[in-house]
Amino acid sequence: MLVTTFVVNYKGRPYMEGLTSNKGFAGALAAAAVLVWALAAGALPSLEAYLELVRLEDLTLRSELQVLLAADFAICWLSERAISHSIKLPEMPKSRPGQKLTPSQALLPRG
């Protein structure tokens, strides 16, 4: 669920590199998501033992956990999109050619 928080809330631009262009971070998040999914499915028993995780023997419980992980991501992503569209944030001011705005300068009122 922590992976979901990073994926859904990461904005990137204008202050940082976007998630689609930040291949290292996107790959690390994808690998973490696959690892969590595999652990929930019980596909890595040796890693479960090494991490001292309680093995879920009941197949129904494993399935419910995987559905919960998927639902968590979907609900977080949809609610973030809905809130982002309902709250309009001010746009970043356009810089003149050759001018670089720092984040603090961009937030100052113009006038």
Side-chain angles (χ1 to χ4, degrees):
M1 292 183 191
L2 185 62
V3 175
T4 298
T5 303
F6 274 107
V7 171
V8 170
N9 292 325
Y10 185 82
K11 295 296 180 205
R13 293 182 193 93
Y15 302 114
M16 296 181 294
E17 193 175 13
L19 188 58
T20 54
S21 50
N22 192 344
K23 301 295 183 195
F25 188 53
L29 288 174
V34 168
L35 180 66
V36 168
W37 191 267
L39 286 170
L44 303 170
S46 59
L47 184 60
E48 287 177 5
Y50 179 75
L51 296 174
E52 298 181 4
L53 299 176
V54 175
R55 183 154 175 79
L56 299 175
E57 298 297 336
D58 186 14
L59 186 59
T60 308
L61 188 57
R62 281 190 207 160
S63 299
E64 288 175 1
L65 181 58
Q66 289 175 313
V67 168
L68 177 66
L69 289 170
D72 173 62
F73 180 80
I75 291 168
C76 287
W77 187 77
L78 289 171
S79 62
E80 193 278 331
R81 295 293 173 198
I83 292 169
S84 291
H85 287 295
S86 67
I87 299 173
K88 297 294 181 190
L89 296 175
E91 290 188 23
M92 293 292 295
K94 304 289 185 220
S95 60
R96 295 184 294 271
Q99 178 189 15
K100 295 194 184 238
L101 291 176
T102 63
S104 60
Q105 290 172 327
L107 297 175
L108 292 175
R110 301 179 96 185

